[in-house]
Amino acid sequence: MKILLCRMGRTDVYPKQFTFDPQLVERARLVTLRSPNLNVLSEENRSKLPGLAHFLEQGFKARDADGKLLLPNLSALANRTVGIFSDYGGEDQSSRFFTYSFMVCAFGSLGPFKQEMASLRAKSGLGEKEIAFKDFRYGPLRRMLPDYLQLCDNYINGLLFTLVVDKTISSLFGPGDAETMRHITDALDQPGYGTVAPQVGEKLFRISHCIAYLLALLGQPGQKIFWMTDHDAIGETPEKHTKLVEILNMVLPLYTTKRFSRLGGARPFTPRAFDFLDLLSIADIAAGTIAQVLSSMEALGKDNAQIKEGGDKVLRWLCYDSITLKKLSLIVKRMPNGDVGCGPIDFEAQTHEEDEFFIPMQFLR
């Protein structure tokens, strides 16, 4: 049985089967953050923070005003460590959007997920193959994808958050002119990160500010923070990666006064550790799928948009929160009048899946 969370009374999609099982409702309540404080930006800091910070706050509040926002309680079940697994998409020339996906989860509750994933890998024949959007043509991977997504829904207490940014927007930290780029370069000089291309600096700060915002929103004082990012230009060497974590540590106080007991990070380990890679893959497939489908919609129109096989299953999975895993995507886009706007993305399934039941969100808010 697949248990999901949904508002009641929707008429624009297919009729849903609801469950009111008190044990399921209680489990959902346990791992859901009740009455979250969405005023992340303090009055003292608001004017100093970049446009990205304001877009993030606006997007979360807009989702909440629409009655759809659910966030994970990352302190449930005595969890003491927040895990962040991030990956990025849209960097191919055909894409019209950059995507930045973050799997923010209760790291101390992942034991059952890791056990179930080891079993799934063994029986699916996937072996040592990494789960990646670019490899969806590989038959064993594509066939095990629905089971993988369901394990994520059933066993990960967290939020899968994706920021989508229109490529016509050169910077979220200023007007994108030479002065903006100089400020980014100066900010990277302070921790000794070194000289990078402007687009790499922009990407680095988009990612670090997103993580800082999510930690301010979901982290609790005293927790440990572990961040894994894929091998990427922002941390392409061990030295660069060390500086990258230092930059996050510098950005974090702009968003919160919470004191975390430790902040550390890693790139994928050698030899490969699938306990970590299978979590990093969640961000990979979300970033790749969303970048491809939104770019196709932009080019061909909503009715003619295309997605590679396997991506359709990811899109269907993104439509709903599960009891433990919540999902939210925001887009920052240039409007027809030239202004820049931000808002949540609604993925809506049109058909019913067998053995699919929903818990009304009203019980959890």
Side-chain angles (χ1 to χ4, degrees):
M1 179 184 295
K2 192 172 187 179
I3 304 294
L4 303 166
L5 307 174
C6 182
R7 289 195 302 169
M8 295 180 68
R10 296 296 300 273
T11 58
D12 55 337
V13 292
Y14 64 89
K16 297 176 175 60
Q17 300 180 74
F18 286 94
T19 178
F20 302 91
D21 184 313
Q23 290 186 329
L24 290 173
V25 172
E26 182 56 32
R27 182 186 171 210
R29 284 174 173 267
L30 176 66
V31 295
T32 301
L33 190 61
R34 310 293 296 279
S35 302
N37 179 12
L38 301 180
N39 296 311
V40 172
L41 310 189
S42 69
E43 290 305 316
E44 296 79 9
N45 265 2
R46 293 188 73 87
S47 62
K48 304 174 186 176
L49 288 169
L52 172 57
H54 296 270
F55 287 138
L56 291 171
E57 186 175 73
Q58 290 168 19
F60 275 84
K61 287 185 174 182
R63 194 69 167 177
D64 187 56
D66 196 35
K68 295 181 179 181
L69 181 67
L70 286 179
L71 297 174
N73 179 0
L74 298 184
S75 294
L77 304 174
N79 177 61
R80 297 299 303 275
T81 303
V82 176
I84 305 165
F85 298 84
S86 60
D87 212 332
Y88 326 107
E91 296 188 353
D92 55 293
Q93 290 188 348
S94 64
S95 180
R96 301 192 180 189
F97 300 94
F98 289 118
T99 49
Y100 310 87
S101 289
F102 307 87
M103 177 73 258
V104 186
C105 61
F107 194 78
S109 303
L110 291 173
F113 172 75
K114 295 175 181 178
Q115 293 173 8
E116 293 292 333
M117 273 304 304
S119 175
L120 178 59
R121 279 187 166 274
K123 71 180 182 182
S124 68
L126 194 64
E128 298 292 297
K129 179 70 175 174
E130 188 175 344
I131 301 168
F133 178 74
K134 64 182 175 63
D135 293 330
F136 274 5
R137 286 179 292 182
Y138 182 58
L141 191 164
R142 199 170 58 249
R143 287 191 290 272
M144 63 85 75
L145 191 59
D147 290 335
Y148 170 62
L149 297 176
Q150 187 156 358
L151 288 183
C152 294
D153 268 347
N154 290 346
Y155 292 104
I156 298 176
N157 178 23
L159 171 68
L160 174 59
F161 173 72
T162 300
L163 175 70
V164 182
V165 183
D166 186 338
K167 283 189 175 180
T168 67
I169 302 169
S170 59
S171 181
L172 296 176
F173 299 90
D177 55 8
E179 184 68 11
T180 303
M181 296 303 105
R182 187 180 65 79
H183 281 308
I184 290 175
T185 301
D186 290 347
L188 289 174
D189 280 343
Q190 185 177 349
Y193 183 84
T195 303
V196 296
Q199 62 268 27
V200 175
E202 175 75 20
K203 177 180 180 179
L204 185 157
F205 280 112
R206 288 181 183 185
I207 292 165
S208 59
H209 278 257
C210 279
I211 292 175
Y213 182 92
L214 292 169
L215 287 175
L217 182 64
L218 300 174
Q220 295 300 321
Q223 288 183 316
K224 299 175 184 177
I225 309 300
F226 172 79
W227 171 31
M228 176 172 276
T229 183
D230 202 2
H231 294 289
D232 190 85
I234 63 171
E236 59 187 352
T237 66
E239 295 75 21
K240 289 281 190 186
H241 180 263
T242 298
K243 295 298 182 182
L244 178 63
V245 176
E246 291 179 12
I247 290 169
L248 175 58
N249 199 33
M250 291 169 53
V251 171
L252 194 54
L254 298 176
Y255 291 86
T256 183
T257 58
K258 298 174 185 176
R259 297 184 66 85
F260 301 109
S261 63
R262 183 178 301 172
L263 172 62
R267 299 183 303 164
F269 300 117
T270 302
R272 292 187 295 178
F274 287 101
D275 282 1
F276 294 88
L277 284 178
D278 288 337
L279 292 159
L280 194 62
S281 291
I282 302 169
D284 174 279
I285 64 175
T289 297
I290 293 172
Q292 186 177 85
V293 74
L294 291 184
S295 296
S296 184
M297 288 174 62
E298 193 83 356
L300 303 174
K302 183 177 180 181
D303 294 338
N304 298 315
Q306 299 176 358
I307 185 72
K308 72 163 85 174
E309 190 175 357
D312 56 331
K313 293 180 174 60
V314 177
L315 279 177
R316 180 61 172 74
W317 175 71
L318 288 169
C319 288
Y320 298 109
D321 300 309
S322 73
I323 286 180
T324 52
L325 183 58
K326 283 70 174 176
K327 300 149 193 157
L328 174 62
S329 299
L330 301 180
I331 186 167
V332 180
K333 193 173 187 297
R334 192 170 299 281
M335 310 307 288
N337 65 359
D339 293 341
V340 175
C342 175
I345 301 172
D346 281 318
F347 297 107
E348 293 284 5
Q350 301 298 317
T351 57
H352 172 69
E353 282 191 351
E354 187 179 354
D355 204 25
E356 178 183 76
F357 291 86
F358 292 84
I359 295 175
M361 283 177 57
Q362 286 90 325
F363 289 175
L364 310 177
R365 292 175 56 79

